[in-house]
Amino acid sequence: MSNEVINTVRVQAAAGRSEELGKQLQKIVDTLRELPGCDSYMVDRCPEDSNRWNVSARWQSEAAMQSHFNSPQVQGFIGLIDSRLANAVDFNSFPIV
């Protein structure tokens, strides 16, 4: 059984701000993928809804993922709402089995 985990973030762009949101998400992801225990961190635009972005990360352990939640860079996701780039941010995580 694997100890690896995945976390996902679904972000809904505010009206007319999807392109700008995508650029900001990429900046956040570029810093987070450098954290210890991170195997990958990616951002993709949803093919069915151009205003929705999906971010996913794969971690070597739950401890590495939990540690990353405490990093200042993760607050960038919350800042997307404060800056009115996004109107919803939904976090999820689950083990890889």
Side-chain angles (χ1 to χ4, degrees):
M1 187 158 149
S2 172
N3 291 326
E4 292 180 300
V5 293
I6 291 177
N7 76 282
T8 62
V9 184
R10 187 171 54 202
V11 185
Q12 188 69 34
R17 311 272 324 254
S18 189
E19 293 298 326
E20 190 178 354
L21 173 63
K23 290 176 185 175
Q24 189 61 35
L25 286 171
Q26 191 61 57
K27 287 180 186 178
I28 293 169
V29 165
D30 287 345
T31 62
L32 290 171
R33 71 168 49 113
E34 300 300 322
L35 293 174
C38 181
D39 286 337
S40 67
Y41 224 122
M42 302 179 309
V43 60
D44 295 296
R45 192 177 218 165
C46 178
E48 295 87 28
D49 180 353
S50 63
N51 288 316
R52 190 172 79 216
W53 293 83
N54 299 305
V55 179
S56 60
R58 184 176 181 135
W59 298 94
Q60 295 170 2
S61 68
E62 185 167 350
M65 181 185 70
Q66 291 299 328
S67 177
H68 119 278
F69 287 138
N70 296 322
S71 71
Q73 298 95 319
V74 171
Q75 293 306 309
F77 288 113
I78 304 304
L80 298 171
I81 293 175
D82 293 341
S83 65
R84 299 193 179 357
L85 283 177
N87 54 26
V89 178
D90 181 33
F91 294 89
N92 292 292
S93 63
F94 48 93
I96 299 172
V97 288

